[in-house]
Amino acid sequence: MSDKLFTELKACKICPHECGVDRYATTGNCNSTEQIKYNLHQKHFGEEPIFSGSSGSGTIFFSNCNLHCVFCQNWQISQQGDGKPITISALVKIMLELQNNGVHNINLVSPTHYTPQIREAIIEAKKLGLFLPVIWNSNGYESIETLKTLDGLVDIYIPDFKYYSPKFSKKYSFAPDYPDIALLALKEMYRQVGDIVCSEEIATRGMLVRHLVLPDDVSGSKKVLYMLHEEFGSDLYLSLMGQYYPTYQADKSKVLSKSVSPDLYDDLVRLTATLGFKNAYVQECGSSDAWTPKFKDEL
C-alpha cells in the first residue's frame, strides 16, 4: 500500500462530499471502509454496442455508492452494499482473468468511492500485462482532483449526467450540487480522453455520457441535451436511457412511482436528432434489452 493511498483514506475527501472521515475506523457518506467491496465480475453484453461488442465487456461491479438515488435500479448493490471485501491484489487478478477470457475492456462500475485502491490495482495490473482499455463507469458525482489522479490510467469514461436542476438532485439523490459538480467532472473526463475513438467498431478511448429520462421530466432532459451539445458538440457519444422503472424507494414518490411517458421519450429522441448528435444511442422506452445507434448512419 502506498503512502498516498493511506493518506487519502485516513481523511477521506475522495468524492465531492468530502466527509473527511478515517475510513480505517469508520465510514462516510458512501458507507465504505478502507477495503474494496465488490459484488461480481462477468462478461457483460448489456452495455452500448461499442463496449459490449461480440465478446462482452469485462465488468466489475463495486458495492456501495457515493449517491443515494431513491430510484436506483441496482439498489441491492449500491445502497444495501451486497458484496464481499477483496484486496487490491485480488482485484488485479480479476482484471487479468477477465482479459484472459477475451473481453473487449475492463469496465469498472460505480468505482468512485474506491478510487485510490482501484488506481493502485490498475497500475499493478498494467505492470503484469493488462493491455485492454479501462472504463470508468460512474454516476458523474466526482471530485476534479481525484479524477486528475486517473489521467493516463483510464481510457474510457462513461459518466451519468442525471439532473439539470439542483432541486431534484437534492430531492431524489441527496446531492444539491450534483448538476454543477457533474458538469465539471465531465469536462475533466473529456479533457483527458476526448471523443470516442473506435477500432473495428469497439471503443478504445473517449467519453460517452448517459442520461436517464425520469417521469414528468424531473431530470430536466431537454435542458440536459442542450447543455451537453453546447459544452461538448455534436460528436459527443450520448446514451439517452429510456429504461426507467419504479424501484427501490420510488413508490414513495408521486412522480417517481410512475413510468416515463413514451411521448416524452420520443420528443427527446427527436430533439437529440434536431441538435445534430451524430453518435446517439436510444432504447425502447421502458426496456433495457437493447441499445439502438439511432443517428450514426442517418445524419
Side-chain angles (χ1 to χ4, degrees):
M1 179 185 300
S2 69
D3 292 340
K4 179 176 175 59
L5 186 152
F6 179 82
T7 301
E8 288 175 286
L9 296 175
K10 193 69 177 173
C12 186
K13 295 184 179 180
I14 292 167
C15 87
H17 288 298
E18 296 191 342
C19 300
V21 301
D22 178 357
R23 284 174 55 175
Y24 292 92
T26 186
T27 62
N29 192 282
C30 66
N31 295 319
S32 302
T33 69
E34 86 286 1
Q35 281 192 298
I36 304 168
K37 193 176 182 183
Y38 101 117
N39 183 266
L40 62 88
H41 64 279
Q42 64 179 10
K43 278 189 175 186
H44 186 43
F45 293 90
E47 306 284 35
E48 292 83 357
I50 55 170
F51 305 126
S52 290
S54 59
S55 298
S57 177
T59 50
I60 304 172
F61 292 88
F62 295 96
S63 306
N64 299 322
C65 187
N66 68 332
L67 286 183
H68 302 287
C69 305
V70 300
F71 52 86
C72 182
Q73 296 177 344
N74 295 315
W75 59 272
Q76 295 93 338
I77 301 174
S78 67
Q79 306 306 312
Q80 290 190 338
D82 285 2
K84 61 182 180 181
I86 57 170
T87 63
I88 292 173
S89 295
L91 179 56
V92 171
K93 290 179 181 178
I94 289 171
M95 293 179 182
L96 296 174
E97 174 190 328
L98 287 167
Q99 177 170 278
N100 291 336
N101 286 338
V103 297
H104 294 296
N105 45 62
I106 302 300
N107 187 350
L108 308 169
V109 182
S110 298
T112 304
H113 44 297
Y114 301 117
T115 300
Q117 303 97 312
I118 293 172
R119 185 179 64 235
E120 291 212 349
I122 295 171
I123 292 170
E124 183 61 24
K126 288 179 178 289
K127 289 179 181 177
L128 295 175
L130 179 68
F131 58 82
L132 292 177
V134 173
I135 296 178
W136 197 261
N137 189 339
S138 83
N139 58 33
Y141 194 62
E142 304 267 10
S143 160
I144 300 302
E145 292 307 312
T146 302
L147 284 173
K148 287 180 178 178
T149 69
L150 298 171
D151 196 355
L153 296 175
V154 169
D155 304 285
I156 297 168
Y157 285 101
I158 312 179
D160 293 336
F161 194 92
K162 294 180 179 292
Y163 305 95
Y164 188 83
S165 166
K167 172 185 175 181
F168 293 115
S169 66
K170 177 181 179 180
K171 186 173 184 178
Y172 298 128
S173 295
F174 304 96
D177 56 353
Y178 178 89
D180 290 338
I181 292 291
L183 180 56
L184 291 174
L186 264 61
K187 288 180 177 180
E188 172 60 21
M189 294 174 185
Y190 188 79
R191 182 195 69 79
Q192 291 183 23
V193 298
D195 291 314
I196 290 286
V197 175
C198 292
S199 175
E200 298 181 354
E201 300 186 349
I202 299 297
T204 58
R205 186 173 177 83
M207 180 177 78
L208 176 146
V209 179
R210 289 174 173 165
H211 176 69
L212 177 66
V213 180
L214 296 176
D216 288 359
D217 198 26
V218 296
S219 46
S221 299
K222 292 182 180 180
K223 292 179 179 179
V224 168
L225 290 175
Y226 277 108
M227 182 271 294
L228 291 175
H229 187 265
E230 180 179 353
E231 294 290 345
F232 302 106
S234 57
D235 288 331
L236 175 72
Y237 273 67
L238 173 70
S239 282
L240 187 64
M241 302 170 71
Q243 67 189 51
Y244 178 83
Y245 63 90
T247 187
Y248 189 37
Q249 298 176 346
D251 61 345
K252 298 177 182 179
S253 164
K254 183 178 179 180
V255 172
L256 295 182
S257 60
K258 301 184 294 185
S259 299
V260 172
S261 161
D263 288 341
L264 169 62
Y265 188 74
D266 289 345
D267 284 346
L268 294 169
V269 171
R270 285 191 287 270
L271 177 58
T272 305
T274 299
L275 288 171
F277 282 104
K278 300 174 184 177
N279 302 289
Y281 288 95
V282 302
Q283 298 172 307
E284 182 179 346
C285 190
S287 172
S288 61
D289 289 342
W291 293 98
T292 304
K294 188 70 175 178
F295 311 113
K296 189 172 183 180
D297 299 323
E298 296 177 2
L299 295 180

